[in-house]
Each structure stands twice: as C-alpha cells, then as structure tokens.
C-alpha cells in the first residue's frame, strides 16, 4: 500500500509518498520531474551499503542513470567541509539548472543535500528519499535545509522545498532499534501538539509499530507527515504556527548541548524528554490537566524510550546552567525564550511567558529524579 500526502504550497506544492518498497520504484516516480534521464545522488556510507543498489536498479527500470557520492555517516558531516565537497562534486558532475539532485539518507544528508541543491546554480530541484524515521516524519518535509556552524546547529541554511519525498517504510527495517525509537519521539510530538486522537492511537498501536508492523508504520508516518504538511502550508517560514513543531525542542537543545551532541542523547530522545518537561511545566503553571504529564511519560516508558533526565547517562549540569543553555536557542526573540506549552494533550501553543522560577523548580525536581 502506498499513500500520499500533498504539501500545499502553491507553485511549490509537492507530494510525500509513503509506502513499502518505494526506493525500488523510484525511477517511475521521479521520471516525470526530469528533463534528461540522469540524476545525482548524495548519500552517506552506511545508507549507501544498505540502499544505493536498490535505488540504482529502481532508477534503471525507468531508464534513468545515476551518479552518486557517499559522505561519511554522522552529524560531523553537516558542516562546511563536506558541504563544499558535495557542491563541488555536483558541479564536476555537470549537474545543470534543470536537473534533479536526490538526497538518500537520514536528516544529516537530507539537510545538507537540500542546502546544496538550494545554492547550486542558484537553485536546482531535489527529491528527498528519507531512510530514518526521524527524517521521514520531520526533516524531509517542509523545506528547512542547512548545515551546522561552530556557533550552533542549523545556523547556516535556506528554505528550499523538495519536489517530491519518497518515504520508503522498508528502509526502517535496517534502522537500529534506538534510532527508530528516537524518530518515534518526533511522531509522539505530533499527537501531543495538535491531535489527541493520534496520541491515543499511538498509546494503542505504538508497541506493535515499533515491533515492525508495516501498515501501522505507514499510518504513523502518514499522520505525522499530514500534521506537518498542514502546519507548513499555513506558515512555511516559521512566522507563527510552525513554531509549534518545536514542542519539547527548547529543553532538548539545552540537553543536547549539555551532553555535547554525543550519543549520550539522540535528538529524538531529547525531544521525547523535552515533551515530558513541557507538559510538566504546563501543569505546574495550571495551563493543562495535572494528569497529562504522567500520561505522556507513561507512554514513553511503555515504548522503552528515554523519559526522564535520569535516563541520560553521565552527569548533567544544574537547573540554572540548563536554563542558560535554553537562552542560547536560536528560537530566542528579543532576548525572550519562546516555549511551546500545552492546554492539554493535542493542544499546544507558543508563549514567552514562562517564569524562570517554575523552570528552576521543574528542572530541579527532574534532576533529583522526582519529576
Ligand atoms: N523540524 C521543525 C520544522 O521543520 O519546522
């Protein structure tokens, strides 16, 4: 079964196709975009081993030739040196203005390849083929592209929408369990921020989809992508509603910074813990029902996910240091930190009115293992 979500952005609208086996059928879906039967693929060395030959065969079925460059796997790739290498390689391959670049991989490759496409010859089209759950439900959709700077993550980039996204659920089969659950942190986020029925569905179906049920995985990715597509269509460049997608992220960015962006904490793990903290703060402020934070954390725990600060290995800094790190988040506006708080599960909103004393209490309790 293949299902399609349309991202409604006028002249830049595109389809996100979600299904099993799409990499092997890529040629048929990409052919209508091409002026000549040749594409350039950017990927990483791990994904290349698992998926590149399937993609090559899928393109060949439609008579499309492919050249490819595999960059080292990992967040370290998302900086100027590998970006320069990718852009210069695309030029050496004589990729023209009307050609299409393909990003085959997780969030690092999608962000880097999308940014390379945004600047190559002042902009060429690109297709996202996300191979991690996190990339399928978040980073491949919505057009945020870029690389990291020494000053922080994702500080150099452009909005550049893909022309097509092929989310092949089969690719998730080779994903390590921890990576899958990290991506699931972003899936849960969509239920928590805007769709309580989806959160209830995840409470019922999360364990089976984590165990590998393909239809449930397709449905979870579809509902997540639909939620993101609706928000991006309303607010492409994050002037308002798109900030809701950052539920849990201000806490997450502070925790990622405190753990040195190491494998002590994967991004989606930080998002999951951050969502729990956002609900805890919302409850302490009397904004949401007192039972909601426990329900959020109960679901994360039932999935075997990192839920509490105590689940992060090693030492963490104190509450005030974590709050300082939140102040360095790029979502800070006019010196005020924007938080995503909740009125209840499925109803998040943006506010800069969160007293520091409440953050200190919630984080202090969490660090002592009490929240
Ligand atoms: N990952 C958040 C966004 O795309 O806006």
């Amino acid at each position: 079964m293949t299902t399609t979500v349309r991202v409604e952005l006028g002249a830049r609208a595109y389809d996100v196709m979600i299904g099993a086996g799409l990499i092997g059928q890529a040629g048929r879906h990409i052919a209508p975009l091409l002026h000549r039967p040749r594409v350039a693929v950017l990927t990483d060395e791990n994904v290349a081993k698992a998926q590149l030959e399937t993609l090559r065969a899928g393109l060949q079925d439609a008579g499309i030739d492919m050249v490819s460059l595999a960059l080292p796997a990992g967040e370290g790739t998302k900086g100027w040196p590998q970006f320069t290498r990718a852009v210069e390689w695309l030029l050496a391959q004589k990729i023209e203005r009307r050609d299409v670049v393909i990003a085959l991989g997780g969030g690092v490759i999608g962000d880097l390849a999308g940014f390379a496409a945004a600047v190559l010859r002042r902009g060429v089209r690109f297709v996202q083929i996300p191979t991690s759950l996190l990339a399928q439900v978040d980073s491949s959709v919505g057009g945020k592209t870029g690389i990291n700077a020494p000053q922080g993550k994702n500080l150099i980039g452009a909005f550049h929408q893909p022309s097509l996204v092929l989310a092949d659920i089969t690719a998730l089969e080779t994903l390590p369990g921890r990576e899958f659950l990290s991506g699931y942190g972003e899936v849960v986020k969509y239920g928590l921020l805007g769709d309580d029925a989806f959160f209830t569905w995840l409470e019922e179906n999360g364990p089976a989809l984590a165990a590998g049920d393909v239809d449930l995985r397709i449905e979870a990715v579809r509902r997540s992508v639909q939620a993101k597509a609706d928000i991006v269509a309303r607010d492409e460049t994050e002037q308002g509603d798109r900030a809701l997608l950052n539920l849990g992220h201000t806490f997450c960015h502070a925790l990622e910074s405190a753990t040195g962006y190491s494998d002590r904490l994967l991004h989606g793990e930080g998002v999951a813990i951050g969502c729990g903290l956002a609900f805890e703060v919302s409850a302490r402020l009397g904004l949401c029902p007192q039972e909601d934070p426990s329900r959020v954390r109960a679901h994360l725990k039932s999935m075997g996910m990192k839920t509490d600060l105590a689940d992060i290995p090693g030492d963490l800094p104190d509450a005030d240091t974590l709050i300082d790190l939140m102040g360095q988040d790029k979502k800070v506006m006019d010196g005020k930190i924007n938080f995503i708080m909740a009125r209840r599960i499925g109803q998040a909103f943006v506010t800069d009115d969160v007293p520091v004393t409440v953050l200190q209490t919630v984080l202090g309790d969490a660090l002592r293992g009490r929240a």
Side-chain angles (χ1 to χ4, degrees):
M1 182 189 82
T2 296
T3 182
T4 300
V5 173
R6 183 95 177 143
V7 185
E8 298 287 359
L9 284 170
R12 282 166 294 103
Y14 55 94
D15 286 338
V16 181
M17 298 182 70
I18 302 147
L22 285 171
I23 295 177
Q25 304 157 14
R28 150 154 52 108
H29 301 301
I30 290 171
L33 298 172
L34 302 183
H35 287 275
R36 58 173 177 158
R38 182 169 184 266
V39 293
V41 179
L42 291 170
T43 187
D44 76 35
E45 286 160 2
N46 292 346
V47 174
K49 280 191 207 106
Q51 307 294 349
L52 199 57
E53 288 319 306
T54 310
L55 177 61
R56 191 189 306 278
L59 291 167
Q60 255 163 16
D61 283 348
I64 301 167
D65 286 335
M66 164 192 123
V67 288
S68 65
L69 175 66
L71 302 172
E75 188 73 24
T77 288
K78 218 175 119 174
W80 285 120
Q82 295 297 334
F83 176 74
T84 306
R85 181 179 165 205
V87 171
E88 291 183 355
W89 176 78
L90 290 168
L91 290 171
Q93 296 302 319
K94 300 194 166 42
I95 296 306
E96 298 173 2
R97 190 80 187 271
R98 299 198 305 175
D99 286 336
V100 168
V101 171
I102 295 182
L104 174 70
V108 167
I109 289 297
D111 285 6
L112 182 146
F115 186 38
V119 297
L120 187 78
R121 300 184 193 280
R122 298 204 179 89
V124 302
R125 292 166 302 148
F126 79 116
V127 171
Q128 290 269 21
I129 306 187
T131 55
S132 69
L133 181 59
L134 189 134
Q136 292 187 352
V137 298
D138 184 26
S139 56
S140 68
V141 179
K144 280 190 182 174
T145 72
I147 56 174
N148 302 329
Q151 291 82 356
K153 281 182 79 175
N154 296 324
L155 293 183
I156 303 157
F159 284 99
H160 186 52
Q161 299 292 343
S163 299
L164 174 70
V165 181
L166 298 177
D168 187 346
I169 297 299
T170 316
L172 304 179
E173 284 166 16
T174 50
L175 209 61
R178 186 178 170 200
E179 290 274 341
F180 183 90
L181 286 183
S182 169
Y184 186 81
E186 297 277 4
V187 174
V188 173
K189 178 194 79 175
Y190 291 109
L192 295 177
L193 75 87
D195 188 347
D196 59 339
F198 184 39
F199 183 75
T200 304
W201 186 90
L202 289 171
E203 287 179 315
E204 282 160 19
N205 295 293
L209 78 86
D213 186 299
V214 172
D215 289 337
L216 292 176
R217 286 181 173 195
I218 290 173
E219 180 61 2
V221 174
R222 183 191 70 77
R223 288 175 83 155
S224 300
V225 169
Q226 185 67 63
K228 181 153 187 184
D230 291 345
I231 289 176
V232 168
R234 289 204 297 275
D235 178 23
E236 184 181 6
T237 56
E238 201 165 313
Q239 308 302 310
D241 269 9
R242 187 163 178 166
L244 296 173
L245 297 173
N246 299 322
L247 177 63
H249 281 62
T250 304
F251 296 101
C252 170
H253 291 156
L255 294 170
E256 283 182 298
S257 174
T259 50
Y261 301 96
S262 66
D263 78 349
R264 283 172 65 196
L265 185 72
L266 303 181
H267 177 71
E269 294 174 337
V271 170
I273 294 172
C275 285
L277 289 168
F279 271 82
E280 192 62 46
V281 173
S282 301
R284 301 266 179 121
L285 289 171
L287 296 167
C288 82
Q290 296 301 309
E291 59 275 19
D292 278 6
S294 320
R295 192 174 156 204
V296 173
R297 290 170 61 252
H299 178 53
L300 301 178
K301 271 200 193 307
S302 78
M303 294 296 292
M305 295 168 71
K306 285 191 172 62
T307 307
D308 300 308
L309 296 188
D311 297 330
I312 302 171
D315 292 336
L316 287 174
D318 62 17
D320 284 329
T321 308
L322 287 174
I323 293 167
D324 277 352
L325 290 171
M326 286 180 202
Q328 284 160 28
D329 194 279
K330 66 180 177 305
K331 308 290 185 309
V332 173
M333 296 262 207
D334 303 328
K336 289 197 153 188
I337 305 177
N338 270 329
F339 282 93
I340 316 303
M341 293 285 116
R343 293 198 178 85
R344 60 178 176 79
I345 287 174
Q347 208 177 98
F349 66 101
V350 187
T351 177
D352 62 10
D353 189 15
V354 175
V356 148
T357 47
V358 175
L359 292 175
Q360 284 167 330
T361 309
V362 169
L363 287 170
D365 286 354
L367 285 163
R368 287 188 291 277
R370 287 205 269 121

